[in-house]
Amino acid sequence: MRKIGVSGFCAVIALWAAAVASAQPPPGALAAQDSVPGAVRMSDAWITTRIKAALVPLRRDDRAAVDVAVHEGRMTLSGRVADRVAHAQVLTLARQVRDVVDVDAGALQIDMTQAAH
């Protein structure tokens, strides 16, 4: 692992702060057509990446194996979860992702055999 000094750390923070202050939309962001002028809607790829990242702890603990598809902000979840609690967690996480219009979890199955683990 490479160590950086205080000045290097400060430089990274300064660059980050400048990027945040500039308020430029992230790459792949789409202009919102049905909201306030100048507002930015995140792309489907961004939404997909965000929910997959949020699901990592459940996947790591073998509590969820979820496939995600997003089209125009509408998220479709499929696969298996270990129990009702994991199912509720997946839905909550999905609904919290910015610019998700709808969540369809009809194909997300609860696998009670995994609950014994």
Side-chain angles (χ1 to χ4, degrees):
M1 183 183 279
R2 185 173 176 230
K3 294 182 181 180
I4 62 170
V6 173
S7 62
F9 179 75
C10 290
V12 169
I13 296 299
L15 287 172
W16 174 79
V20 170
S22 69
Q24 295 296 319
L30 303 174
Q33 298 170 353
D34 58 348
S35 62
V36 179
V40 175
R41 185 180 76 76
M42 295 296 119
S43 70
D44 291 340
W46 185 92
I47 293 170
T48 302
T49 301
R50 184 69 182 109
I51 187 60
K52 285 183 176 183
L55 294 174
V56 166
L58 290 170
R59 185 178 302 248
R60 183 185 56 231
D61 295 341
D62 290 329
R63 301 203 56 233
V66 180
D67 294 315
V68 179
V70 180
H71 181 70
E72 296 182 357
R74 289 172 174 76
M75 185 182 300
T76 303
L77 303 172
S78 59
R80 296 187 178 276
V81 293
D83 51 34
R84 287 183 180 97
V85 172
H87 189 274
Q89 287 175 325
V90 169
L91 287 176
T92 299
L93 290 169
R95 290 179 179 134
Q96 289 176 346
V97 175
R98 179 177 162 197
D99 291 327
V100 169
V101 175
D102 184 44
V103 177
D104 176 8
L108 188 59
Q109 300 176 356
I110 299 172
D111 185 359
M112 297 305 282
T113 60
Q114 287 186 357
H117 284 101

